[in-house]
Amino acid sequence: MTEKFDLIVIGGGPGGYVAAIRAAQLGLNTACIDMTTARDGKAALGGTCLNVGCIPSKALLDSSKHFHHLNNDYAAHGINVTDASIDIDTMIARKDKVVSKLTGGVAQLFKANKIRQFHGRGRLLADRQVEFTAHDSDEAQLLHADNIILASGSVPIEIPNVAFDGEFIIDNEGALDLTEVPERLGVIGAGVIGLELGSVWSRLGSEVTLLEALPEFLMTADQDIAKQAGRLFKRQGLDIRLGTLVKSAIVEDGEVRVTFENQKGEDNISFNRLLVAVGRKPYTEGLLADDCGVELNERGQIGVDEQSRTSVAGVWAIGDCVRGPMLAHKASEEGIAVAELMAGKAAHIHFDTVPWVVYTDPEIAWVGKTEQELIEQAISYRVGSFPFAATGRGLAMGDAAGMVKMLADEESDEILGVHIIGPGASELISECVVAMEFHGASEDLARIVHAHPTLSEAVHEAALHVDRRAIHRGN
Ligand code: FAD
Ligand code: AMP
């Protein structure tokens, strides 16, 4: 017998589980199918983000940051520690506890919202039917719904001749579960994931080398910010080699030998472990029956319109498996918007104001356009900036590297982009997102009272500096 629902969500990551909760709040009889299994054999909702992405990486970034500060920065505060050590098993166990608390929390939210949870694989058939196969059985069960959301997420990209073996050549999952600090860690790709996970192991004592094919560092970020970041990361000991294209890697005698090509030609380098962090691709394996009608585009993404509708009526797709940035908050907001649309409400997402964050130390965060984009698009702008080194709070904290850079339209003064590298950048960016959502001008932020002493004063001063009237710097 086919079980019927108002909505079936396939995928329980931040896209899928949030969509399911919002739909249930709106009174839809909702089911969510997710196949992730925790080490204890139980379902683990939350997708990549909670299990092997955002959350565990931040847990390890925080642990390693404490250790790094203890060894390098506390002496300036008069705190002296000798022979500080880190117990990797305890650090990893703490990370696992944070993850299971959150995945368990989502399961509780499902119960509280009366969402039916199916642990196993879902496959979209024709006529909004879904075939469900439980994680521990081969028997398929048929489900049907008026609406279906595909939220199957993404998986790491594997490059030719660099095959993951789970031990020496690893992906993000492996790098979040190392049992000891590798003496030399190679990272292919100096993007967000490579930088974050490279930072974790570097702070714990690993000699980390990042091999990046592109000639410029952090090309998606504003280049003023990227340049500062490059300098600061180098000072921290990260060896970032740009213009270095990895061609192959082999494991021999307990080491990974990586062959790469740069301006000087072909060369090789050996590591104890190699993390491949060259990006992620949409995951749609086994998701779509041949006759389901949903099509993939040339990038392997599920094709959707601006409101996340696929070409099949009643079938929607959100998150990493569709166009747009692969970010958890983007997936969640799409989930909420789709649930509201199917419940007959109005909903929209402004892709232009999705914030980006890199959780290195210092953090990097931005929203809107970069200066290079404004130049390319021939948009006239004014720029203001302010260094954290001129904020009382940054100095008092002993954490004052970096700056805020604000770009505003030359005529209207509307804020077009804000770029931050510095302490608390991940939190400070929210004020700028709000300002941009309201089509705010730099003048608006300049006239808002910011508490003293706070890091947010750097945002305030950068806004003042757009009009060359910053107080605590020359104009
Ligand atoms: P996913 O989270 O990938 O979830 C998809 C779920 O669907 C998975 O559980 C999968 O098993 C399941 N699934 C797939 N197919 C089927 C099927 N056929 N049947 C049943 N279940 C299925 N983003 C941020 O915004 N901030 C960060 O700090 C951040 N850090 C990251 C760090 C790392 C190391 C990584 C790898 C990613 C990070 N991301 C971060 C990206 C973020 O994790 C993703 O953008 C986000 O998880 C996408 O959500 P999603 O719901 O689309 O997919
Ligand atoms: P991101 O897209 O932020 O996850 O970053 C991935 C990075 O990996 C990009 O900057 C790519 O240029 C880089 N990259 C991809 N393939 C290779 C390769 N074969 N060798 C070195 N870097 C690569």
Side-chain angles (χ1 to χ4, degrees):
M1 201 190 76
T2 308
E3 210 172 334
K4 289 196 165 49
F5 294 91
D6 295 331
L7 168 66
I8 299 170
V9 183
I10 303 181
Y17 89 72
V18 169
I21 292 173
R22 184 67 190 121
Q25 285 174 349
L26 290 164
L28 302 184
N29 176 22
T30 302
C32 180
I33 305 174
D34 188 90
M35 64 188 188
T36 309
T37 304
R39 283 198 196 102
D40 62 5
K42 295 197 180 123
L45 289 164
T48 303
C49 172
L50 263 53
N51 289 287
V52 291
C54 326
I55 298 301
S57 60
K58 266 80 256 176
L60 296 190
L61 277 159
D62 278 319
S63 295
S64 60
K65 192 163 133 180
H66 290 310
F67 185 63
H68 184 82
H69 284 328
L70 188 65
N71 283 317
N72 296 280
D73 306 317
Y74 286 177
H77 295 263
I79 305 166
N80 294 301
V81 184
T82 43
D83 297 331
S85 65
I86 179 137
D87 182 69
I88 300 298
D89 289 345
T90 305
M91 179 185 80
I92 298 288
R94 187 194 86 95
K95 178 264 297 179
D96 290 340
K97 218 166 137 188
V98 172
V99 168
S100 59
K101 195 167 177 139
L102 287 168
T103 55
V106 177
Q108 274 176 4
L109 287 170
F110 270 23
K111 273 202 193 100
N113 284 283
K114 301 193 173 48
I115 295 164
R116 262 291 285 288
Q117 184 185 346
F118 288 89
H119 181 197
R121 272 191 165 271
R123 186 165 124 95
L124 179 70
L125 310 178
D127 303 323
R128 279 171 282 124
Q129 294 216 86
V130 172
E131 182 188 79
F132 166 69
T133 312
H135 74 293
D136 54 0
S137 132
D138 293 332
E139 234 168 84
Q141 179 185 344
L142 273 189
L143 310 174
H144 182 271
D146 297 334
N147 282 286
I148 289 161
I149 300 178
L150 306 172
S152 54
S154 63
V155 286
I157 293 175
E158 194 165 5
I159 50 180
N161 306 317
V162 188
F164 293 122
D165 67 4
E167 191 184 353
F168 292 96
I169 304 180
I170 54 178
D171 60 10
N172 54 296
E173 224 174 309
L176 290 164
D177 267 330
L178 289 174
T179 50
E180 53 188 47
V181 181
E183 202 180 315
R184 277 166 294 122
L185 173 68
V187 181
I188 314 182
V192 178
I193 294 174
L195 283 169
E196 290 187 0
L197 295 177
S199 294
V200 166
W201 295 103
S202 161
R203 292 169 191 171
L204 300 177
S206 193
E207 194 182 295
V208 176
T209 307
L210 294 108
L211 308 172
E212 168 57 56
L214 295 173
E216 306 282 348
F217 182 52
L218 273 181
M219 285 194 72
T220 41
D222 187 276
Q223 281 305 294
D224 279 342
I225 301 291
K227 283 199 183 84
Q228 271 213 24
R231 280 196 297 273
L232 290 165
F233 296 159
K234 197 171 167 192
R235 219 180 291 160
Q236 285 168 17
L238 290 179
D239 179 3
I240 303 170
R241 302 193 190 176
L242 302 173
T244 305
L245 178 73
V246 172
K247 310 278 279 214
S248 64
I250 50 161
V251 178
E252 54 182 21
D253 304 328
E255 292 206 333
V256 194
R257 192 150 60 85
V258 178
T259 303
F260 60 85
E261 198 176 87
N262 61 16
Q263 265 188 335
K264 293 183 199 148
E266 206 167 277
D267 206 345
N268 59 69
I269 182 170
S270 289
F271 302 108
N272 303 100
R273 292 286 184 279
L274 178 68
L275 163 63
V276 183
V278 295
R280 298 178 64 82
K281 60 179 182 189
Y283 178 72
T284 54
E285 218 177 283
L287 177 70
L288 306 169
D290 289 343
D291 62 348
C292 75
V294 171
E295 281 167 19
L296 303 183
N297 65 22
E298 67 287 349
R299 302 180 65 185
Q301 299 161 328
I302 298 173
V304 287
D305 68 9
E306 268 164 43
Q307 290 186 318
S308 302
R309 289 185 175 84
T310 69
S311 50
V312 177
V315 180
W316 315 68
I318 58 171
D320 280 10
C321 64
V322 302
R323 46 83 191 108
M326 287 186 170
L327 294 168
H329 41 284
K330 175 263 190 185
S332 297
E333 292 305 324
E334 279 179 332
I336 289 172
V338 165
E340 294 185 345
L341 287 169
M342 71 182 57
K345 292 181 172 296
H348 61 263
I349 299 176
H350 292 146
F351 287 99
D352 291 346
T353 47
V354 173
W356 290 72
V357 180
V358 190
Y359 294 83
T360 41
D361 188 15
E363 293 179 344
I364 301 170
W366 71 88
V367 57
K369 293 189 193 296
T370 60
E371 189 165 2
Q372 57 269 23
E373 281 170 337
L374 293 178
I375 294 168
E376 271 162 30
Q377 294 164 24
I379 298 170
S380 304
Y381 62 93
R382 289 192 300 165
V383 57
S385 64
F386 196 79
F388 284 100
T391 63
R393 189 65 199 273
L395 288 175
M397 287 164 63
D399 195 358
M403 66 163 173
V404 177
K405 172 173 171 180
M406 192 173 293
L407 299 156
D409 187 274
E410 185 162 40
E411 263 184 35
S412 68
D413 191 36
E414 181 170 341
I415 300 169
L416 302 173
V418 184
H419 305 269
I420 307 177
I421 177 167
S426 58
E427 303 291 343
L428 293 176
I429 201 66
S430 288
E431 172 184 3
C432 309
V433 175
V434 172
M436 285 183 67
E437 271 291 322
F438 284 90
H439 296 281
S442 80
E443 183 69 16
D444 293 318
L445 285 187
R447 287 189 181 277
I448 287 172
V449 182
H450 289 72
H452 174 74
T454 60
L455 297 168
S456 72
E457 287 173 297
V459 176
H460 186 217
E461 290 268 13
L464 286 163
H465 188 241
V466 171
D467 194 40
R468 295 297 174 267
R469 56 181 216 264
I471 302 297
H472 296 94
R473 65 160 290 179
N475 288 293

